[in-house]
Amino acid sequence: ESIDLDPLEGRNLLPTTVKGGTGIPDVSIEDMLGDFGSFFRKQFDLCETSRKIESKYSIPRGQWSFDNIKRAWGKCTRLHSAERVKWSLAIMGQLRRQQEIITKNKTDHEYRTTKDQLIAVVEELQDAKSKLESDDEIRTDLENKISELQQLPVQIAEVQNQISEVELKYQQLQLKTEQIEHENCKLIEGIDERCVLEKELRDAKFRFEQDDAKLQQLSVQLAEFQNQIFEVESKYQELQSKTEQTELENSKLIEEKCVLQRELRDVKSKFEQDDELRTELQNKTSKLQQLSVQIEFQDQIFDVESKYKQLQLK
């Protein structure tokens, strides 16, 4: 690649995007292509041309496939003058997008391929490194084993002491293990008891719900029974008031009976002497009979009241 040197290098030059400037603008290829595309879209109304092509060939808006581009190109070759320019620019824009998509897919594929190759190389390097390290470790182990063999008698004595210590610790650990197993058994029993208690609690809760439903039914029945008791008490009060009136009338009738009996005795004494007294005696006798009937009726009412009181007590 050739490098164009600025003959006025070192000076603060204005870019050519400014009037009178000779300097190089700081833009990329994408910036320049984007500027050209924007100019062509505004100058030739390429958005409207793209919409016409999409409408003509039933292309989803902004979703041109390569076959759609080829179909539009075939139509473009049969156009002339300004219309062909518009169609050509619109199709070139879609071709540029397709090229960008292809380039992006190709770049992504190359990136993934390169990444997989790098991962494979890294894994091979790691395997080689591990092998080298293992060889170094083997060499070091041999040297250490030789030195250990030289110190073996001393180490045997130390190992025997360590073995005795380990056996003592093992016995202690075994005792702790047995204690832990015993505690675990207790814990398992406690869990079983907990399950049983939870089951009993669920059963008790179910029975409580049933008892609650029965209690509600009993409450309804009790309310109905209380209403019945209230009605009976009201009827009893009415009957009691009637009974009191009847007793008063009965006492009055008894008094009248006593009076009539005295009068009857007087009349009987005078009966033999006076016929008028005889007639009066007959009248009073009839009244006395009526009073006797009323008294009997009052006695029956009193018997009914006593039976009602007994029934209420029950």
Side-chain angles (χ1 to χ4, degrees):
E1 295 180 358
S2 61
I3 301 174
D4 296 332
L5 297 175
D6 193 340
L8 300 177
E9 188 177 3
R11 298 184 182 180
N12 294 326
L13 298 177
L14 294 173
T16 55
T17 54
V18 180
K19 185 177 180 181
T22 59
I24 300 172
D26 186 11
V27 291
S28 62
I29 294 174
E30 288 78 7
D31 295 333
M32 290 186 287
L33 291 174
D35 181 71
F36 286 136
S38 177
F39 171 74
F40 289 142
R41 281 194 297 273
K42 292 179 181 178
Q43 184 69 24
F44 298 101
D45 196 9
L46 296 182
C47 293
E48 183 65 25
T49 304
S50 297
R51 283 196 291 271
K52 287 181 180 179
I53 297 171
E54 291 172 351
S55 176
K56 183 175 181 64
Y57 296 108
S58 301
I59 302 171
R61 188 170 183 180
Q63 298 178 6
W64 290 41
S65 65
F66 193 60
D67 292 335
N68 293 329
I69 294 172
K70 288 195 276 188
R71 192 180 292 114
W73 174 82
K75 172 69 175 176
C76 180
T77 57
R78 295 184 286 109
L79 297 176
H80 300 283
S81 65
E83 191 68 18
R84 182 168 183 176
V85 173
K86 292 181 181 180
W87 276 60
S88 299
L89 292 173
I91 294 168
M92 286 177 65
Q94 294 297 328
L95 283 171
R96 180 170 172 265
R97 289 184 183 177
Q98 288 290 327
Q99 188 65 32
E100 288 176 352
I101 293 170
I102 292 169
T103 304
K104 184 177 181 299
N105 292 334
K106 184 178 179 180
T107 304
D108 292 340
H109 178 70
E110 291 176 353
Y111 171 75
R112 287 193 295 271
T113 304
T114 306
K115 183 179 179 181
D116 295 336
Q117 292 175 355
L118 288 173
I119 291 170
V121 170
V122 170
E123 289 178 352
E124 290 177 358
L125 289 173
Q126 288 178 350
D127 293 336
K129 184 178 179 181
S130 62
K131 288 180 181 179
L132 290 173
E133 290 177 353
S134 63
D135 292 338
D136 292 337
E137 289 176 356
I138 291 169
R139 189 181 298 105
T140 305
D141 289 338
L142 288 173
E143 292 175 355
N144 292 330
K145 286 180 180 179
I146 292 169
S147 62
E148 288 176 356
L149 287 173
Q150 294 174 354
Q151 298 176 356
L152 188 61
V154 178
Q155 291 179 355
I156 289 171
E158 293 178 354
V159 167
Q160 288 178 350
N161 294 327
Q162 291 177 359
I163 288 170
S164 60
E165 292 177 357
V166 168
E167 288 178 350
L168 181 61
K169 290 180 179 179
Y170 175 74
Q171 292 176 356
Q172 294 176 355
L173 181 63
Q174 192 172 9
L175 292 173
K176 290 182 180 180
T177 304
E178 291 176 355
Q179 292 177 358
I180 291 170
E181 289 178 354
H182 183 66
E183 292 177 355
N184 287 332
C185 292
K186 289 183 177 179
L187 182 61
I188 291 169
E189 291 176 355
I191 292 171
D192 294 335
E193 291 178 356
R194 180 182 175 184
C195 293
V196 172
L197 290 173
E198 288 179 352
K199 184 179 179 182
E200 292 178 354
L201 181 61
R202 288 194 297 269
D203 295 337
K205 185 177 180 181
F206 179 71
R207 289 195 298 270
F208 177 75
E209 291 176 353
Q210 290 180 345
D211 294 337
D212 191 15
K214 291 180 180 179
L215 181 62
Q216 290 179 356
Q217 292 178 358
L218 290 174
S219 298
V220 174
Q221 294 177 359
L222 180 61
E224 292 177 355
F225 186 68
Q226 287 178 350
N227 292 328
Q228 292 176 0
I229 289 173
F230 179 74
E231 291 176 357
V232 170
E233 287 179 351
S234 62
K235 290 180 180 179
Y236 172 72
Q237 290 177 358
E238 291 176 359
L239 183 60
Q240 191 173 10
S241 62
K242 290 180 180 180
T243 303
E244 291 176 355
Q245 293 177 0
T246 305
E247 288 178 353
L248 292 173
E249 291 176 356
N250 192 12
S251 61
K252 290 178 180 180
L253 290 172
I254 292 170
E255 291 177 357
E256 290 179 359
K257 182 181 178 181
C258 294
V259 172
L260 289 173
Q261 285 177 352
R262 286 195 299 271
E263 290 178 354
L264 181 60
R265 286 193 296 269
D266 295 336
V267 169
K268 282 183 179 180
S269 62
K270 296 178 181 180
F271 178 72
E272 295 175 355
Q273 298 176 1
D274 194 356
D275 293 334
E276 293 178 358
L277 291 174
R278 187 180 297 110
T279 304
E280 186 178 356
L281 179 61
Q282 290 176 356
N283 293 329
K284 290 184 178 181
T285 302
S286 62
K287 289 182 180 180
L288 183 61
Q289 290 176 354
Q290 291 177 358
L291 289 172
S292 298
V293 171
Q294 291 179 357
I295 290 168
E296 290 178 359
F297 179 71
Q298 294 295 330
D299 292 335
Q300 291 177 0
I301 291 172
F302 182 75
D303 292 335
V304 169
E305 183 181 1
S306 62
K307 289 180 180 180
Y308 174 75
K309 287 181 179 180
Q310 294 176 358
L311 179 62
Q312 189 177 13
L313 291 173
K314 288 181 180 180

